[in-house]
Structures are given as structure tokens and as C-alpha cells.
Amino acid sequence: MQKPQVQVTTRPPKEMTESGHRGRPWIKSWQLYSLLIFPLAYLIIFKYVPMYGTLIAFKNYVPTKGIWGSDWVGLLHFERFLNSYQFVRILKNTLSLALYELAVGFPLPILLALGLNYVRNTFFKKSVQMITYAPHFISVVVLVGITMQFLQPGTGALNVILGFFGVDSVHFMAKPEYFKTIYVLSGLWQNIGFSCIIYLAALSAIDPTLHEAALMDGASKVRRMWHVDLPGIIPVITVLFILQMGNFMDLGFEKVLLMQNPLNMRTSEIIDTYVYNIGLKGAVPQYSAAAAIGLFKNVVALILLVIANRMARRTGNSLW
């Protein structure tokens, strides 16, 4: 009579470490995991721990009582801000300035990178790069000072040029309608060269055989930009656009505050400067109201970031 066969299953051997010992994967790669310690510590200490302070947005914060000792008020500070007569003006100024900066400051570095990519004169190319990169390393205070001197009524360079054409001197910083343009163009002058570095790096990674094939087909430089370069850097553009949307509401508090004066306050007052004025500068600091308005701004920025990522997901280049 034939004996029944007994099936014997063997457990697969555990993964061996480089030194030949058995162990878990994280033990095998402990050097890589150890690199995460300092970035995680930075995030926890400087990004997550300060979130504890947002509790004062829901309280009537009194410094002598502390955060937990202050009374809860719920959404009172949010409702006051949304119902205040300044809410529409401040939100409109913030969104319009952010959109203006995005519309001008995001595509122009791409165009600069596309143009520099086709320059074959090395001296000219490096000169343009140096001239456009250099302003990025100027501090915000110095940048605003240069802008003020350039636009100075009477003796400023722009007014001198306008004077040659018979145009009367203009006090640009006292005109509320000029504030957004001055802010955006001065920021563009400072950052356009530095912003195009990433696009130049992405363009250098495009396969040269694609350009050779396009040249064989008789494609012009514009056609090569449109059909070869732009599709090649679309993933980089998408990721940078999503990151830009995450900082959409952050307009550079210091720069706006330095350029602000009572004459242009109608268009220069944004959420960041308003928070500073009521939270620290006022005769009676309103810590809880300032925290509530700052939290409102961050929630709006988070919503915009999620929308941008969802739109990018359709192209397969989303962040998550």
C-alpha cells in the first residue's frame, strides 16, 4: 500500500545583513534611516510643536493666564474678522497681489530658461546669467531702498527719464494704483534669474536625439521649444507650480511692510501686515485675533494646494 505523501513547507530564510547576520530590513539599512533623524527633529521642533500656539485663536488669550488658563471663545475671532468692514478689502488686496505675482513671476523664468538654452555665445550667456542671478542675493531692505531711490519724485532715475519726454514727475509710492505693479516688478527683477536655474537644469536633461530628430524634420527653434523642450520640463513645471500654490498667500511680509505708507495703504494692506498691526503694533495687542486671521490664511492656502495637486493628478505629475 502506498503511503500518503506529507507536504513539508519550509519557511523562507530571514534577510541577511551585509555582515552576514540575520535581521530586519531597517537594521540592515540603519545608515539610511539615521539620515532621517535630523530632518524629522527639525520638522517636529520647528513646525509641529509651534502648532500648539494656534490654540489661542480659539481663546481670549491673556499672557498672565497662559494658553490653557485663558477662556475658550470658540470661533468668535474668526466671525469678527469675517464680519469686519476691512475683511473684503484685505482679502481682495491679498488675492489680487498674489495672482498678479503668480501670473508674472511664474512663466517669465521659464521663458528666460528657454531662451538661454539656445544661446551658443558662452560669454553672452554667462553674462546674462550673472546679471539676472545677482539681485537674488540682495537683502529685502536694500532692494526696497534701491526701488525707492529709482522711483524718487524729481531725482529718481525713472522720473529723470520721463522728464526727457516732457512727462511731469510722479510720486509713484504715493499712488495706490501703482503699488502692486511696483511690488511685482521689483520681485521679478530680484528672483527671475534664480528661479530659472531649475528649468535650465531640467532642459539639460532632455535627450539630445529628440532635438536632432526635430532638426531633421526641419523644425524651427520655436517648434523645438514647443514640441521638445516644454513637454520635457512639464513635470518640473507642475511640481514647482504646486509648491508655489502652497505659498500662494505668503507675499513677503517684510517687503510689503517696508513699501507700505499711509498714502498707498488702500491697496498695500494685506493679511500679513494686518496681522502684524493688530497683533503686535497696536496699543492693545490682540494676540488671539491675530492668530485667528493667520490660521484663516493658512487654511485658504491649504485648500488651494489640494486643488492644485488634484488638477496636477490628471497629468500624472501630482505630489501625492
Side-chain angles (χ1 to χ4, degrees):
M1 184 177 178
Q2 189 176 2
K3 294 182 178 180
Q5 294 182 353
V6 178
Q7 187 176 1
V8 178
T9 57
T10 58
R11 184 176 296 179
K14 293 184 177 179
E15 193 170 353
M16 304 290 289
T17 62
E18 292 181 353
S19 59
H21 300 290
R22 298 178 186 277
R24 298 179 184 277
W26 66 273
I27 296 178
K28 176 184 176 182
S29 305
W30 67 269
Q31 296 95 337
L32 297 178
Y33 285 97
S34 64
L35 295 176
L36 298 175
I37 294 175
F38 291 107
L40 286 177
Y42 170 80
L43 285 175
I44 293 172
I45 295 172
F46 294 104
K47 299 297 180 182
Y48 285 95
V49 172
M51 288 184 184
Y52 168 71
T54 57
L55 281 176
I56 67 174
F58 306 95
K59 292 191 167 197
N60 262 336
Y61 177 66
V62 178
T64 54
K65 294 182 178 179
I67 294 179
W68 282 111
S70 301
D71 299 328
W72 287 95
V73 294
L75 300 176
L76 177 64
H77 298 296
F78 295 93
E79 293 174 358
R80 283 182 179 174
F81 176 60
L82 295 176
N83 295 324
S84 67
Y85 72 95
Q86 293 177 313
F87 170 71
V88 175
R89 179 175 62 89
I90 293 173
L91 186 63
K92 180 182 175 183
N93 287 341
T94 305
L95 292 178
S96 60
L97 189 58
L99 282 172
Y100 195 174
E101 188 178 38
L102 181 68
V104 176
F106 189 76
L108 289 184
I110 300 173
L111 296 178
L112 178 63
L114 289 173
L116 286 176
N117 192 45
Y118 284 88
V119 173
R120 294 292 172 260
N121 188 324
T122 306
F123 176 77
F124 177 77
K125 184 176 183 178
K126 289 187 177 297
S127 299
V128 173
Q129 287 178 323
M130 186 188 68
I131 292 171
T132 54
Y133 293 168
H136 178 77
F137 301 99
I138 299 175
S139 71
V140 175
V141 177
V142 175
L143 172 73
V144 174
I146 293 173
T147 305
M148 296 286 189
Q149 291 297 320
F150 183 73
L151 302 175
Q152 190 75 15
T155 58
L158 183 57
N159 274 311
V160 171
I161 295 172
L162 293 176
F164 281 111
F165 297 98
V167 179
D168 295 333
S169 178
V170 180
H171 193 347
F172 291 97
M173 298 307 297
K175 302 282 187 183
E177 61 271 23
Y178 293 149
F179 177 82
K180 291 185 176 68
T181 300
I182 295 170
Y183 176 88
V184 171
L185 294 183
S186 60
L188 180 67
W189 171 69
Q190 186 181 24
N191 297 316
I192 187 172
F194 196 80
S195 299
C196 82
I197 292 177
I198 297 176
Y199 301 116
L200 283 174
L203 288 169
S204 66
I206 294 177
D207 190 352
T209 57
L210 297 176
H211 283 283
E212 294 172 1
L215 284 173
M216 293 292 291
D217 291 338
S220 63
K221 289 183 179 179
V222 176
R223 287 287 183 185
R224 287 160 58 193
M225 286 182 187
W226 184 256
H227 294 289
V228 178
D229 291 330
L230 275 179
I233 63 174
I234 278 294
V236 176
I237 294 175
T238 306
V239 172
L240 291 180
F241 179 77
I242 296 172
L243 295 176
Q244 183 80 12
M245 293 305 293
N247 298 320
F248 182 72
M249 304 287 280
D250 293 329
L251 292 168
F253 158 76
E254 300 91 351
K255 185 180 174 185
V256 176
L257 189 67
L258 291 168
M259 296 177 66
Q260 202 174 66
N261 61 56
L263 298 175
N264 61 25
M265 188 68 77
R266 179 164 58 85
T267 57
S268 64
E269 183 79 309
I270 60 174
I271 290 179
D272 287 334
T273 56
Y274 184 70
V275 168
Y276 169 73
N277 288 329
I278 68 169
L280 297 175
K281 197 177 176 182
V284 181
Q286 304 176 42
Y287 301 114
S288 295
I293 298 170
L295 185 59
F296 167 79
K297 187 196 78 169
N298 291 331
V299 170
V300 174
L302 177 63
I303 294 172
L304 292 174
L305 178 64
V306 172
I307 293 174
N309 190 72
R310 284 205 168 193
M311 294 172 63
R313 191 177 295 172
R314 298 179 180 178
T315 64
N317 298 313
S318 61
L319 286 181
W320 68 85

